Amino acid sequence: MITTPYLMFLGDAPDPLAAKVAQGIKDWRPDYAIGQYRMEGCKADMKLPDMTLDAAYEAGARTLVIGVANRGGVISPAWRHVLAEALLKGFDLASGLHNLLSDEPELVEIAKAEGRILHDVRVPTVEYPIANGKKRRGKRCLAVGTDCSVGKMYTALAMDAVMQERGLKATFRATGQTGILITGDGVPLDAVIADFMAGSVEWLTPDNDDDHWDLIEGQGSLFHASYSGVTMALIHGGQPDALILCHEPTREHMRGLPDYALPSLEELQALSLTIASRVNPDVTVVGISVNTQHLSEDEATGYLAEVEARMGLPAIDPFRHGAGRLVDALVALG
């Protein structure tokens, strides 16, 4: 178990989106996030108290969580002295990066000497099976996106919160580092060997009651040249009964790929249904989740109305306005 509360390490994040791990924890487990540590040049701000290591420890924080998800998932050389100092001051470290804390000799040596723990949450701990494609009982909903980091996890978490409030049977299924740090369980899907990715999603979403919904955290995008594989595994392994289309309308290009434009929602719907119907012929798109954080209230209202009229589906920002209508769409499936 990772000891809470956390001090969120934002390092030298170049923009707010690079600190999406910290943002997700702050938004969904605010009691875990006691403060933030930012280095010179950091362009992210979670609106948490800026704290030194000493101040955070005195305030009760016991784990320094790397709240940055950079391209390639690497531990920057510029961070190492802060991470080492945190261990010496009594903090455990937690990270969801591909570059493991346990592969950093200096940090391993200090942690061993100080009796501290290095938590690498992006390490598979189960021998997952190869997918067999067999239909499972229960129902599954998957969020798919026009791009990476457009709100797929937030959509599933927001829907799960509403379903819990209504007394419906539902489980949020984490498939990435942030979701695992929020819920304490899940599959670090992009760290699973490719042949076993779809199988790990089958394992994560087993047989269940006929009226139970697994709300599967989406990853990547079918249209992203770097990260489409993980999305394909989620679709084939998840065998979703329902899809939610996720979009961020102010993007000028795919995240990290300036030469690639975002697909339209219509393109996302068509491709996702084609692929998903291979494993579940009854799959349907039930709604659209739009990340409107960079739009004013009036702009958001107008954009959502236009999308809803164009697509013929409920279009909402579930974090800004609540996920009730998306849940209504699931319930309507029966």
Side-chain angles (χ1 to χ4, degrees):
M1 295 293 293
I2 302 176
T3 304
T4 61
Y6 304 147
L7 174 63
M8 307 309 305
F9 177 74
L10 307 188
D12 50 2
D15 56 47
L17 195 54
K20 68 176 186 177
V21 176
Q23 187 71 62
I25 294 171
K26 183 248 185 178
D27 286 341
W28 294 102
R29 291 292 185 271
D31 52 320
Y32 287 5
I34 202 169
Q36 63 185 18
Y37 185 105
R38 296 191 291 170
M39 299 174 64
E40 184 176 353
C42 182
K43 300 294 195 304
D45 184 359
M46 300 299 103
K47 307 302 181 185
L48 293 167
D50 284 295
M51 292 185 169
T52 64
L53 293 173
D54 287 332
Y57 192 88
E58 186 175 344
R62 291 297 180 267
T63 303
L64 181 73
V65 173
I66 296 179
V68 182
N70 54 28
R71 189 170 177 83
V74 298
I75 295 174
S76 167
W79 301 350
R80 289 193 174 98
H81 73 281
V82 178
L83 303 181
E85 184 180 359
L87 290 170
L88 291 169
K89 289 184 178 294
F91 288 89
D92 294 335
L93 301 181
S95 170
L97 297 173
H98 287 299
N99 183 175
L100 304 181
L101 295 168
S102 59
D103 286 338
E104 295 292 320
E106 179 188 6
L107 299 181
V108 170
E109 183 178 348
I110 295 173
K112 183 177 181 180
E114 299 294 323
R116 305 267 53 88
I117 302 174
L118 303 178
H119 298 280
D120 285 306
V121 303
R122 216 172 193 164
V123 177
T125 58
V126 174
E127 290 188 8
Y128 301 114
I130 291 176
N132 58 35
K134 293 181 179 179
K135 182 65 177 175
R136 305 181 297 285
R137 290 180 56 218
K139 299 177 182 180
R140 290 156 194 87
C141 176
L142 173 66
V144 292
T146 54
D147 194 8
C148 302
S149 305
V150 292
K152 298 181 291 293
M153 182 189 73
Y154 274 57
T155 298
L157 282 167
M159 293 176 70
D160 179 62
V162 171
M163 295 181 83
Q164 301 303 328
E165 290 171 2
R166 295 186 185 182
L168 300 171
K169 296 178 183 178
T171 305
F172 170 74
R173 302 295 189 181
T175 61
Q177 56 176 327
T178 309
I180 292 171
L181 284 166
I182 289 170
T183 64
D185 194 18
V187 170
L189 187 58
D190 60 7
V192 175
I193 294 173
D195 276 357
F196 301 94
M197 286 198 299
S200 74
V201 181
E202 289 186 350
W203 176 89
L204 183 67
T205 58
D207 278 316
N208 217 314
D209 294 340
D210 290 338
D211 58 348
H212 177 278
W213 280 96
D214 275 336
L215 302 168
I216 306 171
E217 178 188 2
Q219 299 289 338
S221 170
L222 288 171
F223 293 86
H224 201 290
S226 305
Y227 308 119
S228 57
V230 69
T231 314
M232 180 74 82
L234 280 164
I235 292 175
H236 281 171
Q239 295 183 331
D241 300 278
L243 296 170
I244 306 290
L245 309 182
C246 298
H247 182 56
E248 204 278 77
T250 68
R251 298 274 175 94
E252 296 182 355
H253 55 75
M254 301 291 284
R255 175 77 171 163
L257 300 176
D259 295 330
Y260 286 81
L262 265 70
S264 67
L265 284 164
E266 288 86 350
E267 289 175 302
L268 175 63
Q269 177 174 248
L271 182 59
S272 299
L273 285 174
T274 296
I275 295 172
S277 64
R278 180 64 178 172
V279 291
N280 186 350
D282 298 322
V283 64
T284 185
V285 174
V286 299
I288 299 169
S289 173
V290 181
N291 179 347
T292 65
Q293 64 175 320
H294 298 304
L295 300 178
S296 69
E297 187 65 32
D298 288 344
E299 289 171 334
T301 300
Y303 183 81
L304 291 168
E306 184 275 323
V307 169
E308 185 159 327
R310 189 177 88 231
M311 301 291 293
L313 293 163
I316 63 169
D317 182 331
F319 189 69
R320 191 172 192 170
H321 301 129
R325 294 181 65 211
L326 295 179
V327 172
D328 292 341
L330 283 191
V331 173
L333 290 180

